[in-house]
Amino acid sequence: MATLDHPFFGHCSTAGFTTEEVCWEKEIALNGSGVDVALWAPPDAPLRSGLDKGELDQMADAVQHLATLDEQARRHLLDYLDDDDAFIRHHLEEAEAFPRVAELFPSGGTTPPDFAQALQLVQVGLWLGHPDPIVMDYMIDPDHSDQVLAVKLGADGSLASIDWES
């Protein structure tokens, strides 16, 4: 049986995995909202070269300091939105389809700092064995939009990329 054991994540079995799958998940409260956090592991996680307790420790630290990581990611998002406001424009131009956007920005306009602050962190993926293992998904209106700004970070918290996904 393929297992991972860690003081924070506990006992995680990868038995039966044929692809990367979630081996641990938890909803974490942050800024009055719940954020889904999931640890993804490949089928061979315990056997993989380079996968060690240190990698799991870094991911556990990220979860335990999620508020700090969120602040850091929002600074990256602000830089991204300052450089390219297409994500903001998309949501403002279609505000009738996004009630939260209409509620937050009734004048039909906003600034990158206000928009970045209004984004909701909805999900964090921790990917074992990946070069950029922390993926933080931000949405402006999770109930009505499938548009995501995914902030991808290295294990040390350094920015790898921000990708607009749906």
Side-chain angles (χ1 to χ4, degrees), residues 14-99:
T14 60
F17 285 18
T18 57
T19 62
E20 288 179 300
E21 294 185 38
V22 173
C23 68
W24 176 91
E25 61 187 327
K26 184 175 183 180
E27 183 175 90
I28 308 257
L30 181 68
N31 302 326
S33 296
V35 178
D36 294 323
V37 180
L39 177 65
W40 291 80
D44 61 347
L47 309 173
R48 233 181 152 139
S49 67
L51 176 63
D52 59 14
K53 184 180 175 299
E55 185 176 3
L56 288 167
D57 288 346
Q58 285 180 315
M59 292 187 180
D61 188 59
V63 174
Q64 292 169 328
H65 297 97
L66 192 56
T68 301
L69 203 58
D70 175 54
E71 290 173 13
Q72 181 180 349
R74 286 180 190 278
R75 285 192 297 274
H76 295 308
L77 284 166
L78 178 55
D79 291 342
Y80 174 89
L81 295 168
D82 270 339
D83 288 343
D84 181 357
D85 68 349
F87 190 84
I88 297 172
R89 283 185 288 108
H90 167 76
H91 284 88
L92 291 176
E93 290 167 1
E94 304 291 329
E96 68 279 353
F98 309 122

